[in-house]
Amino acid sequence: HLIMDKAKTRLGIIFTLSIMAIIISVFVLSQPGKERVPASSQGGSTVIVPPHAIEVAEGIYSLGQARDVDGRVVEGFMFIDNKKENVNPNAVCGNGICEGGEKKSCPADCAGSGEPPATSTCFSVFAKGARWKETELYMIGSGIDTTVTETSLNTWDSEVSFDIFGPRNVSGIVDGRDELSPDGKNEVDFDDLGSGGTIGVTIVWGIFIGPPSGRELVEWDASFNNQYTFGNYDPGDPTMMDYQNIATHEFGHSLGLSHPDDTCTEETMYRFGDFNETKKRTLEAGDIAGVNELY
């Protein structure tokens, strides 16, 4: 059962995605990308999505079915991550205090009271059981910081019993994210994602329906918007996007996590980012609970 959107029932999502896959399969998928205005929950921002993409949850688009390089039928999903100013202010709660006095923006960010260990419900996997079954190589495009990319990937790897990501494939050719069908490569690159507020996009292909034991991820691609300046945190530059901060979030999608509820503002997988933000470099209780739910 899919749990990408807690506002919908799990069975409803599965039924909807199955119907969409049938409809999308008769579309012509070779058209170029175009601008499209998503639901009002995106704060009126404009993002660039393929013409065949269908929004299935806030900031999440179905790319339909395709054939993997091994011939299996898989589905693709695109995750859109926007700048913080695009958030609906009505969806943000006030300040909260966790047990023990720890301050968080929202009570939902607090770990649970169970002992031991404390847990959090501030996470969402986009298909129960859909995860990597073995370590995946990745490759990076021009201008991407290799060391910081590895650091962000290792932030997730350090929470599980095996390396989900890496090592880097240094001989592969990066040709961009795959919106029509997977090509067998996991790629990280810069791309023009428009000026409408989108910071990064991650596409994940996999098997998301059927028995959870038969589900798995088969490919991921992450793109960072070259309309922004990416680098290291710099308080002297108010327009700097901290690459490690944004990359760690995008790679969470790559391993199978979706966006938690909008009240979970402190989690790395919270769906909005901002200039010179660094809190997504490290994982919170919900992020750790989510990756351990899958792995």
Side-chain angles (χ1 to χ4, degrees):
H1 56 282
L2 299 178
I3 51 175
M4 295 180 296
D5 184 357
K6 295 182 180 179
K8 300 177 181 178
T9 65
R10 296 172 178 175
L11 291 177
I13 292 177
I14 293 174
F15 176 78
T16 300
L17 291 178
S18 299
I19 296 300
M20 286 191 302
I22 296 173
I23 296 173
I24 293 171
S25 65
V26 302
F27 286 178
V28 177
L29 303 183
S30 59
Q31 305 173 58
K34 64 179 181 180
E35 288 193 348
R36 171 174 169 178
V37 179
S40 59
S41 61
Q42 293 289 320
S45 64
T46 300
V47 298
I48 297 177
V49 299
H52 63 282
I54 297 177
E55 190 174 32
V56 296
E58 295 176 351
I60 304 174
Y61 293 80
S62 169
L63 300 177
Q65 292 185 324
R67 292 282 181 181
D68 191 16
V69 292
D70 63 6
R72 291 181 299 174
V73 175
V74 294
E75 295 177 85
F77 290 94
M78 173 183 283
F79 295 83
I80 307 291
D81 297 300
N82 283 341
K83 189 175 176 300
K84 190 175 182 180
E85 65 186 14
N86 296 316
V87 68
N88 178 355
N90 294 323
V92 179
C93 67
N95 291 329
I97 299 179
C98 303
E99 292 184 15
E102 181 185 9
K103 292 183 178 180
K104 293 289 185 181
S105 294
C106 298
D109 291 313
C110 301
S113 58
E115 294 291 345
T119 59
S120 171
T121 59
C122 265
F123 69 88
S124 178
V125 302
F126 52 93
K128 182 179 181 180
R131 60 186 181 88
W132 293 101
K133 300 299 179 66
E134 57 185 29
T135 299
E136 279 290 306
L137 302 179
Y138 70 96
M139 56 186 67
I140 62 175
S142 176
I144 296 292
D145 189 309
T146 303
T147 301
V148 177
T149 297
E150 183 176 351
T151 298
S152 293
L153 292 169
N154 286 340
T155 297
W156 293 103
D157 280 341
S158 64
E159 296 297 333
V160 295
S161 59
F162 78 103
D163 286 342
I164 304 169
F165 303 112
R168 177 189 170 203
N169 177 359
V170 297
S171 61
I173 298 176
V174 176
D175 54 14
R177 64 189 180 278
D178 300 298
E179 299 174 341
L180 302 181
S181 62
D183 63 358
K185 299 184 295 185
N186 305 308
E187 305 171 61
V188 184
D189 68 356
F190 284 119
D191 196 9
D192 185 354
L193 303 179
S195 58
T198 299
I199 304 172
V201 168
T202 296
I203 291 177
V204 180
W205 291 92
I207 299 172
F208 303 109
I209 59 176
S213 61
R215 301 173 186 173
E216 65 176 294
L217 306 184
V218 302
E219 183 177 313
W220 63 271
D221 297 312
S223 295
F224 300 87
N225 194 351
N226 62 18
Q227 296 292 313
Y228 290 102
T229 300
F230 282 89
N232 191 41
Y233 168 76
D234 182 0
D237 183 355
T239 65
M240 177 66 71
M241 280 291 175
D242 184 83
Y243 174 68
Q244 183 179 347
N245 182 78
I246 305 301
T248 305
H249 173 96
E250 298 303 329
F251 299 152
H253 292 314
S254 300
L255 59 80
L257 294 180
S258 184
H259 297 134
D261 188 88
D262 276 356
T263 60
C264 300
T265 59
E266 297 304 300
E267 307 305 308
T268 294
M269 295 312 297
Y270 176 61
R271 67 190 178 100
F272 295 98
D274 206 351
F275 295 122
N276 275 315
E277 178 186 73
T278 59
K279 64 184 179 181
K280 289 183 172 64
R281 287 183 174 188
T282 56
L283 306 183
E284 295 294 330
D287 305 307
I288 295 171
V291 71
N292 280 283
E293 173 80 7
L294 286 171
Y295 297 92

